[in-house]
Amino acid sequence: MGNKVLFLGGNGFIGREVLPLMKLNGYDVDYPSSNELNLLDDEGTNLFFEDKFYDSVIFSSIVGRKTHLKFNSDELYKNLVMFENVYRHKDKFNHFVNIDSGLSIQKNFKKYSYAFSKYCISKRIENDTNAINLRVYGCFGPSEEKRRFFVGNILRYINKEPMSINKNIIHDFISSKDLFSIIDWSIKNKNNIPKNINCVYNKKYKLTDICDIINTLDEHKVDISINSFESGLDYYSLEGNIPIKCEGLHNGIVDCYQRLMGET
């Protein structure tokens, strides 16, 4: 197995979670910051790749995550330029792993620059036998922001405060540990992999179901507050095709809780 990897977007949440696991599992990983490698700079990107070769590139660079329900033509342009400035150097790596989003295949994906960017990139690599597209609907782990669903509600549970849900929709998530395992498998089996992997568990959960799991982490229970009872848009896939056995949602929540408890 070639273990020289370039991880682009390493300062984002997925990078914060996956990079330590890659190092722990023997990967030699480069993860330049945007100050070290500005993917919008054609010449700078060319110079970066000039004397390098990687077994795999993991592409997680994106702008517009926090404004993903808006359309911004500048964000779309930047995302496509960043991708093309890397992908044009296909002679400098063997394998390309794209971190896609479930938003890229929603019916209204063209309305949002984030989703449209993800869609265009996934289509760009569609016929590349050396590329794989990992479609992530939601990922969780202890380094996510406290405003996010999992860490926010686990911390509320630890502090014996009511957990909070905006709308009680069905939502697919995968733990960061399981996402790393999928990335690891895709690198090791790059000659025998599906083109797209929907990184979702087979069992589907409403957000209240997830809060019920959190409520079993210790001896106490807390209330679950639902902010709006208006119907919301479910966000999940029934076409999960993860090629390995995963630890699953419950074990991911337990691991996240234990690591957060170690920090409190």
Side-chain angles (χ1 to χ4, degrees):
M1 177 197 76
N3 69 349
K4 182 66 175 176
V5 173
L6 175 63
F7 197 115
L8 297 171
N11 288 330
F13 165 67
I14 289 178
R16 293 196 304 272
E17 290 286 319
V18 170
L19 279 170
L21 295 172
M22 296 196 77
K23 295 176 187 177
L24 191 63
N25 283 269
Y27 284 96
D28 179 11
V29 193
D30 287 345
Y31 48 101
S33 67
S34 56
N35 290 329
E36 296 168 317
L37 174 59
N38 180 2
L39 295 179
L40 293 170
D41 179 356
D42 296 16
E43 184 177 347
T45 307
N46 291 342
L47 288 172
F48 176 84
F49 278 104
E50 192 171 54
D51 60 348
K52 295 179 178 64
F53 187 86
Y54 293 95
D55 297 296
S56 297
V57 170
I58 300 170
F59 189 80
S60 185
S61 296
I62 198 80
V63 296
R65 281 189 181 94
K66 293 184 179 180
T67 57
H68 67 274
L69 294 181
K70 298 179 180 179
F71 191 93
N72 183 311
S73 57
D74 185 55
E75 288 180 351
L76 175 62
Y77 172 77
K78 287 180 178 179
N79 286 331
L80 297 183
V81 167
M82 288 193 296
F83 166 77
E84 290 295 342
N85 276 347
V86 175
Y87 197 61
R88 68 202 289 183
H89 294 286
K90 289 196 294 181
D91 60 325
K92 295 294 186 175
F93 50 85
N94 283 328
H95 184 227
F96 189 86
V97 180
N98 180 51
I99 305 299
D100 190 13
S101 167
L103 292 171
S104 72
I105 57 171
Q106 303 301 301
K107 291 181 180 179
N108 58 355
F109 72 90
K110 293 181 183 177
K111 292 174 60 177
Y112 311 115
S113 48
Y114 175 84
F116 200 6
S117 301
K118 292 288 192 180
Y119 170 84
C120 292
I121 294 169
S122 67
K123 287 297 181 182
R124 184 75 170 83
I125 66 170
E126 193 170 47
N127 296 317
D128 186 344
T129 57
N130 294 316
I132 184 171
N133 195 54
L134 303 184
R135 193 172 291 128
V136 179
Y137 282 70
C139 184
F140 69 95
S143 73
E144 69 183 29
E145 297 176 10
K146 293 181 180 179
R147 66 179 180 86
R148 304 288 293 177
F149 176 77
F150 276 87
V151 164
N153 279 318
I154 291 174
L155 289 175
R156 292 184 192 100
Y157 176 76
I158 291 171
N159 295 324
K160 298 183 178 180
E161 300 169 351
M163 287 183 274
S164 178
I165 295 171
N166 185 24
K167 294 179 180 179
N168 190 26
I169 61 172
I170 301 172
H171 197 309
D172 269 329
F173 292 95
I174 192 164
S175 75
S176 56
K177 275 191 172 182
D178 281 338
L179 180 59
F180 160 73
S181 296
I182 296 169
I183 293 172
D184 179 53
W185 182 89
S186 72
I187 291 173
K188 293 175 179 176
N189 296 273
K190 53 181 171 284
N191 295 322
N192 186 30
I193 54 177
K195 172 52 61 179
N196 294 285
I197 295 179
N198 287 316
C199 301
V200 300
Y201 302 124
N202 289 331
K203 185 174 181 179
K204 303 302 153 186
Y205 297 85
K206 286 188 174 182
L207 297 183
T208 47
D209 297 329
I210 297 173
C211 287
D212 286 340
I213 295 173
I214 296 173
N215 247 338
T216 66
L217 294 172
D218 204 342
E219 294 181 356
H220 68 277
K221 294 187 182 296
V222 301
D223 292 334
I224 301 170
S225 173
I226 301 176
N227 299 330
S228 173
F229 287 92
E230 295 180 3
S231 60
L233 292 175
D234 295 330
Y235 183 50
Y236 67 96
S237 172
L238 294 175
E239 298 179 359
N241 60 334
I242 297 175
I244 57 173
K245 184 176 181 180
C246 290
E247 292 187 2
L249 186 79
H250 186 278
N251 288 333
I253 292 173
V254 171
D255 178 70
C256 191
Y257 168 73
Q258 291 173 343
R259 290 168 67 185
L260 289 171
M261 282 293 289
E263 298 173 4
T264 57

